Amino acid sequence: MAYKTKRLIEASKSVEAGKVYDSADAMKIIVDNAKAKFDETVELHIKLGVDPRHADQQVRGVCVLPNGTGKKVKVLVIAKGEKADIAQAAGADYVGAEEIIAKIQKESWFDFDVCITTPDMMGMVGRIARLLGPKGLMPNPKSGTVTNDLTKAIADVKAGKVEYRLDKAAIIHVPIGKVSFGVEKLLENFNTVMEAVVKAKPAAAKGQYLRSIALSSTMGIGVKIVYNV
């Protein structure tokens, strides 16, 4: 049986058992009950009516949150020559090629949040796919992290680009900002992600697409919400 702190027990009183809230009311409950000593992250959880075992029912994509994520993102760019210079000028935190790959291999160095590379470097990056993959750091064209337009890719990530993708239970988990943003800005971010996920509905998906939606903060309670498409 999961242990609940006094703070969580108190916060739970703000939510009626079995009730599904509209997004604005739910967000206010989340913000009002975030009492941790740090700026908690607000997370969105979406259960979809798809089967992630089938390739034609995958849901994955990216969107840029209008108010950012509230997190300082460290970007690694694996590139050579002129592309490396462009990445440096665009604000990448780390830029390199063979030496960076060797550092990851030999030192298990992962002091970055996003890895971006150019198409011509994917063969080299493939050497560390088994290291980057489990950490969600492997560059992928679908997430915009394998590209020749490094300036845009870096700007998007720094501005608050988030990736959404199904897990094995057909649930998408996405951070949509910090509690300190306030209800209005968090709702703008929430709506941006929801619109992207709805638009990404696979043609093969049958029946109810949005099964359940919930919001929560890092140390806070979860609140189920209704979303009208």
Side-chain angles (χ1 to χ4, degrees):
M1 183 176 178
Y3 172 75
K4 283 189 175 182
T5 64
K6 290 182 179 179
R7 181 172 55 79
L8 276 180
I9 292 172
E10 189 62 30
S12 297
K13 296 177 182 178
S14 302
V15 180
E16 291 182 34
K19 182 174 180 178
V20 180
Y21 292 78
D22 67 41
S23 55
D25 289 341
M27 197 70 77
K28 187 174 188 310
I29 291 171
I30 294 297
V31 171
D32 288 348
N33 286 282
K35 306 294 185 182
K37 294 181 179 179
F38 60 92
D39 194 4
E40 296 181 50
T41 296
V42 177
E43 299 170 353
L44 171 61
H45 312 278
I46 312 167
K47 172 73 172 177
L48 297 180
V50 297
D51 189 341
R53 294 173 298 178
H54 299 296
D56 63 353
Q57 295 189 46
Q58 289 297 315
V59 179
R60 179 177 184 175
V62 295
C63 58
V64 178
L65 301 180
N67 300 297
T69 63
K71 177 183 178 181
K72 186 180 184 304
V73 181
K74 292 183 181 179
V75 178
L76 163 65
V77 173
I78 298 178
K80 282 185 173 182
E82 182 185 358
K83 292 294 185 182
D85 294 336
I86 290 172
Q88 199 78 59
D93 298 275
Y94 307 104
V95 181
E98 290 92 345
E99 73 283 4
I100 285 285
I101 289 174
K103 184 178 179 70
I104 292 171
Q105 287 176 317
K106 296 176 182 178
E107 302 176 22
S108 294
W109 176 75
F110 298 104
D111 186 29
F112 53 94
D113 303 297
V114 177
C115 179
I116 299 172
T117 190
T118 49
D120 62 297
M121 295 296 289
M122 277 301 288
M124 188 178 294
V125 175
R127 301 176 195 170
I128 53 174
R130 63 183 180 82
L131 300 175
L132 298 178
K135 295 182 179 294
L137 296 170
M138 185 64 186
N140 187 297
K142 291 183 179 180
S143 64
T145 49
V146 179
T147 177
N148 280 314
D149 192 349
L150 295 176
T151 300
K152 182 179 185 303
I154 294 167
D156 284 349
V157 169
K158 295 283 188 179
K161 184 175 78 171
V162 293
E163 180 179 6
Y164 58 86
R165 61 185 300 180
L166 287 177
D167 65 11
K168 293 180 180 179
I171 301 174
I172 289 174
H173 308 275
V174 188
I176 59 170
K178 297 291 186 179
V179 167
S180 61
F181 285 14
V183 173
E184 186 176 341
K185 289 184 177 180
L186 286 168
L187 282 174
E188 289 176 357
N189 284 357
F190 163 81
N191 286 323
T192 297
V193 175
M194 288 303 305
E195 287 167 9
V197 172
V198 169
K199 188 176 181 180
K201 179 182 179 180
K206 305 299 180 184
Q208 185 179 356
Y209 180 55
L210 299 175
R211 292 289 178 85
S212 67
I213 307 167
L215 291 167
S216 66
S217 63
T218 307
M219 301 293 288
I221 55 175
V223 183
K224 290 186 177 182
I225 65 176
V226 63
Y227 181 79
N228 297 316
V229 179

